[in-house]
C-alpha cells in the first residue's frame, strides 16, 4: 500500500482524525501542539510525564486512547529527547520511530504535528519532506507475487497529513516523488536474481520510458556491444545464460542542446565471484549487487516525477557474474571500450569492469556536464565506513562538495575518501595497461582509482554504496540509498 500524504491546517485539539501525533522533550517540556492538546484533555499528558509513563526519550511513544476534550480519537505522544542539541539526525530518528508506532495501530489515517518542531537551520518544507520520507520508508513492505502480503485483519495506515502551512508544499511534493523513486529502487533490488536479470531491468526501464513523454530508452544487447567493443563488460557476463544489457534512459526536461547530467549504476544482478568464487555463506545477498543500478534508476524516476528542468541520462551496465566453461579467468587480458587493456587478477572485482565501459560509453555518447556513478563496489568501503555513510571519491572539489551537501541535506550521507595519484601505482601491471585490483590495502580507493582512468576529462564522482545499499541478514531489505542524495543533487542543479 502506498501512503497518501497531504498538509493539514486544523489545530491539534479540533482536527477530526483517528490519531494526532505530538512531541514531548525530556524534562517534560511540551511542544506547542502537545500543550494545546494537553490543555484540552485536562492535563493528561503532563500527568503521564509526572508519573514517568511519558519519558520524552527520543523515539519513545505513548498512546492516549479516546481522550475527552478533543476531536481526535487517539493521541500518540512522541519523545523528542533533550531540547538542547536537538538536530536534523534526531528529528529523522523521531520521525522514523513515530511512523513505526503509527503503523502498528488499527487506523487508516492520522495527522502529525511533529513537523512543527523546531530543527535548527531547517525550514518547514524540509521537516515535512523528512517526515514523509521516513513514514514511506517505514511503511514499505516486500510484496512480490511469490510472497503475497498477508491480509490484515485490522485497518492499516493509508493517509498521513502533516500540520504545516503552504510554504511546506514544495517539500511535500519532493517527498512524494523521491519516495516513488526509493520504492522503485527497493522493489527492484529486493527481487530474487532468477527474476531480476539484466533483461528484466531493461524491460522495467523500457516500461518506464513508455509511460512518460519526456523519457526515452535505448538498450544494447551483447551482439551490439560486441560490435562496438565493450570488451570489459562482455567478459564479466560471458559465463552466464542471462546475457548482458546496456541500458540508457534519457529524460529531456531541460532546454534542447543543453548537456545532460549523467548517472551510471553498477547492475550486477548476481555475483558469484566468477572463477574467483565467493564463499557460500551469505552469497544470497549478492542479489543486491545491482544496488547501484537500482539507486540511479530510482533517482531518475524521482527526477522525472518532480519534473526537474534539466536533461538527465541514466546508464546501467547489467550483467551476471557466473562460473562457467566460457567464463573469464584470472590472468585474462581484456580490451575495454576505451582501448585501455586490463589484466584480470580477480574475477570477483567485476563491478569496475562493467562500469569502466559504461563510463566510456556515457562520456562519448552524451557528453555530460557531470557524471556520477553509484556501485556496491568494495567490501573495503564497508570496513572503512560501516553502514552509515557511502564512500565518495572525486578529483573535482566542487562536485564533491555538491554531493556531500546533498547528502547532509537529505541525511543520506556520504564521506569523501582520497583519490590521490599516489595509489595508482598499486594498479600497475606487467601484462596490460592496468590491473583490475590493487592488492590488500586501500581496496575502496584503488577501485575508485581504476574507474578514474576511464573518466579522464570528465567532471566525475564515484559513490561506493556497498555498506549502505541494503541491510544485512537473511531478512535484510534494500534501503533505496542513494536515491535521496542524488535526487537532492539534481534539485540543487535545477
Amino acid at each position: 500500500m502506498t501512503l497518501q500524504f497531504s498538509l493539514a491546517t486544523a489545530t491539534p485539539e479540533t482536527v477530526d482524525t483517528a490519531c494526532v501525533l505530538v512531541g514531548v522533550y525530556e524534562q517534560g517540556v511540551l511542544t506547542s501542539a502537545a500543550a494545546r492538546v494537553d490543555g484540552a484533555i485536562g492535563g493528561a499528558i503532563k500527568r503521564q510525564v509526572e508519573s514517568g509513563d511519558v519519558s520524552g526519550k527520543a523515539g519513545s511513544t505513548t498512546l492516549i486512547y479516546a481522550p475527552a476534550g478533543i476531536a481526535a480519537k487517539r493521541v500518540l505522544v512522541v519523545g523528542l529527547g533533550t531540547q538542547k542539541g536537538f538536530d536534523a539526525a534526531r528529528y529523522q530518528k523521531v520521525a522514523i520511530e513515530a511512523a513505526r508506532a503509527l503503523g502498528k495501530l488499527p487506523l487508516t489515517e492520522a495527522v502529525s504535528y511533529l513537523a512543527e518542531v523546531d530543527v535548527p537551520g531547517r525550514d518547514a518544507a524540509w521537516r515535512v519532506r523528512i517526515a514523509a520520507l521516513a513514514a514511506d520508508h517505514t511503511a514499505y513492505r516486500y510484496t512480490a507475487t511469490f510472497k503475497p502480503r498477508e491480509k490484515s485483519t485490522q485497518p492499516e495506515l493509508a493517509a498521513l497529513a502533516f500540520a504545516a502551512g503552504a510554504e511546506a508544499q514544495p517539500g511535500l511534493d519532493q517527498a512524494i516523488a523521491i519516495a516513488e523513486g526509493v520504492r522503485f529502487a527497493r522493489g527492484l533490488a529486493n527481487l530474487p536474481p532468477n527474476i531480476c536479470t539484466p533483461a528484466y531491468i531493461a524491460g522495467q526501464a523500457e516500461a518506464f520510458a513508455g509511460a512518460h513523454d519526456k523519457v526515452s530508452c535505448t538498450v544494447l544487447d551483447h551482439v551490439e556491444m560486441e560490435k562496438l567493443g565493450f570488451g570489459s563488460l562482455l567478459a564479466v557476463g560471458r559465463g552466464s545464460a542471462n546475457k548482458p544489457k546496456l541500458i540508457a534512459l534519457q529524460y529531456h526536461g531541460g532546454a534542447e542542446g543543453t548537456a545532460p547530467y549523467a548517472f551510471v549504476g553498477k547492475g550486477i544482478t548476481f555475483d558469484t565471484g566468477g572463477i574467483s568464487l565467493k564463499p557460500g555463506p551469505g552469497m544470497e545477498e549478492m542479489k543486491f549487487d545491482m544496488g547501484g543500478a537500482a539507486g540511479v534508476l530510482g533517482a531518475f524516476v524521482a527526477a522525472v516525477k518532480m519534473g526537474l528542468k534539466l536533461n538527465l541520462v541514466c546508464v546501467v551496465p547489467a550483467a551476471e557474474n557466473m562460473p562457467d566453461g566460457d567464463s573469464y579467468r584470472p590472468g585474462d587480458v581484456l580490451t575495454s571500450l576505451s582501448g585501455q587493456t586490463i589484466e584480470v587478477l580477480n574475477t570477483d572485482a567485476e563491478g569496475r569492469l562493467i562500469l569502466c565501459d559504461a563510463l566510456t560509453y556515457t562520456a562519448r555518447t552524451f557528453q555530460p556536464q557531470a557524471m556520477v556513478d553509484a556501485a556496491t563496489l568494495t567490501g573495503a568501503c564497508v570496513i572503512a565506513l560501516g553502514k552509515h555513510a557511502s564512500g565518495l571519491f572525486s578529483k573535482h572539489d566542487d562536485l564533491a562538495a555538491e554531493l556531500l551537501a546533498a547528502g547532509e541535506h537529505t541525511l543520506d550521507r556520504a564521506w569523501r575518501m582520497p583519490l590521490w595519484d599516489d595509489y595508482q601505482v598499486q594498479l600497475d601491471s606487467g601484462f596490460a595497461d592496468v590491473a583490475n585490483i590493487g592488492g590488500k590495502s586501500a581496496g575502496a580507493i584503488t577501485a575508485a582509482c581504476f574507474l578514474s582512468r576511464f573518466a579522464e576529462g570528465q567532471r566525475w564522482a564515484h559513490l561506493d554504496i556497498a555498506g549502505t545499499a541494503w541491510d544485512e541478514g537473511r531478512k535484510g531489505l534494500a534501503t533505496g540509498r542513494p536515491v535521496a542524495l542524488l535526487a537532492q543533487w539534481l534539485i540543487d542543479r535545477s
Side-chain angles (χ1 to χ4, degrees):
M1 182 186 295
T2 302
L3 272 179
Q4 301 299 310
F5 297 113
S6 61
L7 298 181
T9 55
T11 59
E13 69 273 24
T14 62
V15 65
D16 186 8
T17 183
C19 187
V20 292
L21 285 73
V22 297
V24 175
Y25 296 99
E26 288 183 17
Q27 287 81 49
V29 179
L30 275 60
T31 59
S32 60
R36 292 185 69 148
V37 170
D38 188 57
I41 62 176
I45 296 177
K46 281 187 177 178
R47 287 197 297 274
Q48 295 217 18
V49 169
E50 290 164 1
S51 69
D53 292 318
V54 171
S55 67
K57 184 179 178 182
S60 63
T61 56
T62 305
L63 186 69
I64 301 175
Y65 183 72
I70 65 172
K73 296 177 180 62
R74 302 171 184 80
V75 178
L76 187 66
V77 183
V78 183
L80 303 176
T82 57
Q83 194 168 12
K84 185 179 179 181
F86 190 84
D87 60 7
R90 179 123 54 91
Y91 178 79
Q92 185 188 49
K93 175 186 176 180
V94 165
I96 290 170
E97 294 305 324
R100 282 184 180 146
L102 200 57
K104 294 175 183 176
L105 299 176
L107 46 80
T108 58
E109 40 89 33
V111 179
S112 173
Y113 287 80
L114 297 179
E116 293 183 341
V117 175
D118 181 53
V119 183
R122 311 290 184 165
D123 61 13
W126 180 91
R127 296 194 300 268
V128 166
R129 191 173 91 165
I130 290 294
L133 286 172
D136 196 84
H137 199 276
T138 304
Y140 173 84
R141 298 290 182 271
Y142 175 64
T143 55
T145 53
F146 20 80
K147 185 177 171 58
R149 189 173 184 180
E150 295 178 9
K151 289 185 178 180
S152 178
T153 56
Q154 66 178 29
E156 292 183 301
L157 185 67
L160 181 59
F162 301 96
E167 72 277 7
Q169 190 64 51
L172 186 62
D173 293 340
Q174 290 170 357
I176 291 168
I178 293 170
E180 188 164 346
V182 170
R183 286 195 304 273
F184 187 94
R186 297 181 82 187
L188 204 59
N190 285 329
L191 285 170
N194 58 316
I195 302 296
C196 188
T197 62
Y200 182 88
I201 297 177
Q204 293 297 296
E206 288 173 326
F208 183 80
H212 297 83
D213 291 340
K214 294 182 179 180
V215 180
S216 59
C217 183
T218 302
V219 177
L220 301 181
D221 64 18
H222 64 286
V223 176
E224 293 165 301
M225 285 191 279
E226 184 81 51
K227 292 176 183 175
L228 293 170
F230 283 76
S232 186
L233 191 165
L234 289 174
V236 173
R238 225 168 56 203
S240 174
N242 294 305
K243 297 303 179 187
K245 302 284 184 185
L246 194 284
I247 303 144
L249 278 164
Q250 289 180 267
Y251 166 58
H252 312 277
E256 190 174 347
T258 305
Y261 295 94
F263 293 149
V264 179
K266 173 187 170 185
I268 295 292
T269 57
F270 192 76
D271 183 20
T272 64
I275 297 299
S276 306
L277 194 66
K278 289 178 180 291
M283 194 194 286
E284 71 280 356
E285 291 187 18
M286 287 300 97
K287 71 175 187 175
F288 293 120
D289 211 15
M290 41 66 70
V296 297
L297 287 167
F300 185 90
V301 168
V304 173
K305 295 297 181 180
M306 284 186 282
L308 296 182
K309 306 295 184 187
L310 49 73
N311 295 323
L312 177 63
V313 172
C314 182
V315 175
V316 171
E320 191 176 47
N321 187 24
M322 300 287 280
D324 176 78
D326 196 34
S327 294
Y328 75 128
R329 298 152 288 233
D332 283 2
V333 173
L334 314 175
T335 301
S336 68
L337 182 62
S338 71
Q340 296 178 73
T341 55
I342 304 163
E343 182 187 10
V344 177
L345 298 180
N346 189 323
T347 65
D348 195 23
E350 82 300 324
R352 65 201 73 182
L353 296 179
I354 68 169
L355 283 171
C356 69
D357 277 357
L359 290 170
T360 300
Y361 172 83
T362 304
R364 285 181 183 175
T365 308
F366 302 108
Q367 291 89 49
Q369 55 181 300
M371 183 163 58
V372 181
D373 80 68
T376 52
L377 205 64
T378 66
C381 196
V382 188
I383 299 302
L385 297 176
K387 304 291 289 182
H388 301 290
S390 301
L392 171 64
F393 302 81
S394 183
K395 291 184 177 180
H396 302 270
D397 292 344
D398 56 345
L399 178 57
E402 290 168 7
L403 290 163
L404 289 172
E408 288 297 327
H409 188 78
T410 57
L411 304 177
D412 181 4
R413 294 181 292 184
W415 188 259
R416 193 176 183 186
M417 305 276 278
L419 191 59
W420 303 332
D421 287 340
D422 310 55
Y423 292 97
Q424 291 283 1
V425 67
Q426 290 179 232
L427 296 169
D428 286 351
S429 166
F431 301 94
D433 294 324
V434 62
N436 80 322
I437 58 171
K440 185 178 179 180
S441 63
I445 298 170
T446 55
C449 284
F450 177 92
L451 294 177
S452 73
R453 298 188 180 213
F454 301 86
E456 286 293 337
Q458 296 296 310
R459 191 165 173 263
W460 162 80
H462 161 61
L463 286 169
D464 192 328
I465 60 169
T468 57
W470 78 93
D471 297 318
E472 292 177 331
R474 286 188 61 198
K475 294 185 179 181
L477 295 172
T479 62
R481 295 178 69 182
V483 170
L485 184 159
L486 294 175
Q488 182 61 46
W489 181 66
L490 291 177
I491 291 170
D492 295 339
R493 308 283 74 75
S494 65

